[in-house]
Amino acid sequence: PCVMNKSFPSAAWVRSRLSALNMRQIAALAELSEVPAPTIYKIRLGATENPGIETCRKIIQAMPLLRSAGRRSSAQRAG
C-alpha cells in the first residue's frame, strides 16, 4: 500500500520560506530547483494557493543549495 509522508511541509510553510527571498534569490532558486520563477513567485504571493507536491519538493530540496550558492558568490566577490 502507498503510505503518505505526513511530515511533508505545507504550502503555507513553503510560502513562508519564499517570502524571505528577494527577486534575485527567486531567480537562483528557479534555476536550482528547475521550477519556473513565475511559479515560485506566485506561490510566494499566495496566488497559487495549493501548489503541487512535486513542485514543493523541488523547491524545498533546492533551498539548501540556494544558501550555499549565496555564500560562494559572496566569498568570490570578497576575494
Side-chain angles (χ1 to χ4, degrees):
C2 180
V3 178
M4 189 146 192
N5 182 354
K6 294 183 184 209
S7 65
F8 193 83
S10 68
W13 184 90
V14 174
R15 192 173 298 115
S16 72
R17 297 305 180 266
L18 293 176
S19 69
L21 303 180
N22 62 38
M23 292 305 290
R24 182 176 289 159
Q25 291 169 317
I26 289 174
L29 182 60
E31 187 174 325
L32 292 167
S33 67
E34 299 180 352
V35 174
T39 300
I40 295 173
Y41 192 69
K42 287 176 186 177
I43 294 169
R44 180 180 183 257
L45 292 177
T48 302
E49 293 179 22
N50 192 17
I53 291 173
E54 186 64 17
T55 300
C56 289
R57 185 190 63 76
K58 287 179 176 182
I59 292 170
I60 291 165
Q61 287 182 336
M63 286 281 199
L65 301 174
L66 179 65
R67 286 189 218 106
S68 63
R71 282 194 292 270
R72 274 197 306 272
S73 64
S74 294
Q76 289 170 349
R77 283 192 298 266

